[in-house]
Amino acid sequence: MATQTPVEPRQTSVEPRLTSRLDVPILLPISVVVLVVALAFGGALYVLAAAALIPILWAIVKRPQRGVLLLAALVPLNGLFLIFPVPGSSGWKETLTGALLVLTFFVPSDRRPPAGRRLPGWLPAAGLYVAVGVVSAVTVWGSQALVGLKIDFFYMLLAIVIWRAPLSRRERDQLVTIFMVVGFITAVFGIFQQIVGHATLNSWGYEYNSVIRFTSGMRLRSFSTFNQPFPFAFYLMIVILLGLPFALSDLKRWRNRLFLAALPIYGLGLLFSYVRGAWLGLGIGLCYLAFHRYKWLLLGVPLALVALLFLPGGSLSNAAFQSGSFTARTNLWSDRVNQIVSHPFGGGIASTGAAASKVADAAHQSNALLVQPDNSYLKTGFELGLPGLWMQVLLLIALLLWSRKVERHVRGDDARFVMSFTAQMLGIIVAATVSTYFEIFPMDVMFWLMIGIVATIDAGTEPEEDEAAAEPRTLAPALRPRFP
């Protein structure tokens, strides 16, 4: 007789099943007790906040790139804290950026970008620029040094975060969508401010001469969800220059159609800010896009001029062509340029502009006599001297040449993103001559955010979305997703 091999009983993993079944009965009463105690002590708002924040924080812990997208979506709305104050909310941007940097060191090794990636060519210039700033900070020391380093260099950390945790193609596309949507929201709110007027805005909690500002003819300058008109205008400049290449490349996509249809809204929001530096920067950036690829963008110039005829009488001409403001600035520049010559190593970081105002406010000192250069290059010359000014100019030129080089060897959406960055760089370099662009929040965030993304595009890394996204690698070549 043939002997049968005894069949071993099938082993099943009972313990994990029991654990999964016991988790719910155990956690449910604990959650109920915590909820009841919180409600009893008046912590209902904290419970609601925890219910909303815990899933978001968990998602960011699993993938730090989501935190980058969240930061890009929320920083334009930071000015709403002026009328909806939240205790302890002033440093949330810095906290999130620092936390994201820490999280990049805990990303699993199989999901990290490959070692030995090509470093961007502007890195030496950036390092020398930071070194000059650090030396200047050592000379002034104290709170002035900390404020200056924070304003000038802190958000370089965001570029490091993106370099260590690159955004995937899908996330970069989501970032473009975020800019389009948030830009539309801010533009609509900026136009709405023109309707309700300055008195109503003041009754909401916005202060005159700091947030609420006027141009010639007492025309209100819209500031939307920002703390001043300047970041509002420059943000819309970035949104338009970023969104146009993507929208014009794929008119079949509803997102792009809606963006093009909303261009008049973006334009009106930018116009009602009455920030000529942003108008100039946008014009330079659009010229680059037009002559580089989208030549028919030049047809929008006559349409824009016709639209200006329907604006309130005299509002544009008074804001755009008034000579008083420009004359005052040029007089200041000519009077102070000798200061750079007489102090070739500068007066110390955070000794002018908004940084000096923050230092004076913290020390309860008057800031009436502080220099407001309204020019990023003069500000750097005043603070960091000729070495700092040279390093800043060298960095900007290196970034511009680098972006043009990257633009030539990438394709598809990557090429469109880099092309928009080049247009932004041209606009920023010009706008910085009539504004202290690089110390304006959140433009410092946006500046290094874009640099970090273009750096990862140049390095040629394509990280996976999550754990499940690694599965297509095992599929047959015909089933693998293809990107344009």
Side-chain angles (χ1 to χ4, degrees), residues 158-347:
L158 184 59
I160 299 176
V161 169
I162 298 172
W163 177 258
R164 293 185 55 82
L167 275 66
S168 65
R169 289 178 181 265
R170 180 183 176 185
E171 287 165 336
R172 292 197 292 268
D173 184 73
Q174 291 172 345
L175 180 68
V176 174
T177 304
I178 287 172
F179 271 92
M180 290 180 175
V181 173
V182 177
F184 179 78
I185 293 172
T186 59
V188 169
F189 191 50
I191 297 172
F192 175 73
Q193 289 173 341
Q194 295 289 327
I195 298 174
V196 300
H198 61 89
T200 301
L201 295 174
N202 180 250
S203 67
W204 291 352
Y206 293 116
E207 296 182 359
Y208 285 107
N209 299 324
S210 61
V211 183
I212 301 177
R213 301 188 180 204
F214 301 90
T215 186
S216 294
M218 288 299 293
R219 295 291 306 181
L220 173 67
R221 309 177 75 168
S222 294
F223 51 88
S224 187
T225 58
F226 300 80
N227 63 346
Q228 286 185 3
F230 309 104
F232 171 46
F234 287 124
Y235 180 73
L236 288 183
M237 178 189 80
I238 297 297
V239 169
I240 295 173
L241 293 177
L242 177 64
L244 270 177
F246 285 89
L248 296 175
S249 66
D250 185 8
L251 295 177
K252 295 181 180 179
R253 188 172 178 181
W254 272 106
R255 180 198 72 176
N256 299 336
R257 293 182 184 180
L258 293 174
F259 175 81
L260 293 175
L263 273 179
I265 303 298
Y266 296 108
L268 280 177
L270 176 59
L271 186 67
F272 286 135
S273 68
Y274 298 107
V275 177
R276 288 170 292 176
W279 299 354
L280 181 62
L282 177 63
I284 296 295
L286 289 178
C287 286
Y288 176 80
L289 295 178
F291 288 107
H292 185 62
R293 182 166 299 183
Y294 306 104
K295 293 181 174 57
W296 58 274
L297 278 175
L298 297 175
L299 298 176
V301 175
L303 296 177
L305 293 176
V306 171
L308 296 179
L309 299 177
F310 296 92
L311 291 175
S315 60
L316 177 69
S317 59
N318 290 336
F321 304 111
Q322 58 176 318
S323 59
S325 176
F326 181 74
T327 302
R329 291 183 181 184
T330 53
N331 289 337
L332 172 65
W333 299 341
S334 61
D335 292 340
R336 294 285 183 172
V337 70
N338 293 329
Q339 179 178 338
I340 301 178
V341 178
S342 58
H343 298 82
F345 295 100

Side-chain angles (χ1 to χ4, degrees), residues 82-203:
L82 295 174
I83 55 175
F84 300 109
V86 177
S89 61
S90 59
W92 73 270
K93 302 91 57 183
E94 296 83 358
T95 302
L96 179 57
T97 303
L100 291 176
L101 181 61
V102 172
L103 288 175
T104 60
F105 289 91
F106 295 92
V107 175
S109 58
D110 59 340
R111 295 174 57 194
R112 295 176 187 171
R117 290 178 294 164
R118 180 173 60 253
L119 295 175
W122 49 265
L123 201 58
L128 291 174
Y129 183 43
V130 173
V132 174
V134 171
V135 171
S136 179
V138 171
T139 60
V140 298
W141 204 243
S143 61
Q144 181 178 342
L146 295 177
V147 171
L149 290 174
K150 173 184 174 296
I151 290 180
D152 288 354
F153 306 115
F154 179 81
Y155 287 106
M156 282 185 175
L157 298 178
L158 184 59
I160 299 176
V161 169
I162 298 172
W163 177 258
R164 293 185 55 82
L167 275 66
S168 65
R169 289 178 181 265
R170 180 183 176 185
E171 287 165 336
R172 292 197 292 268
D173 184 73
Q174 291 172 345
L175 180 68
V176 174
T177 304
I178 287 172
F179 271 92
M180 290 180 175
V181 173
V182 177
F184 179 78
I185 293 172
T186 59
V188 169
F189 191 50
I191 297 172
F192 175 73
Q193 289 173 341
Q194 295 289 327
I195 298 174
V196 300
H198 61 89
T200 301
L201 295 174
N202 180 250
S203 67

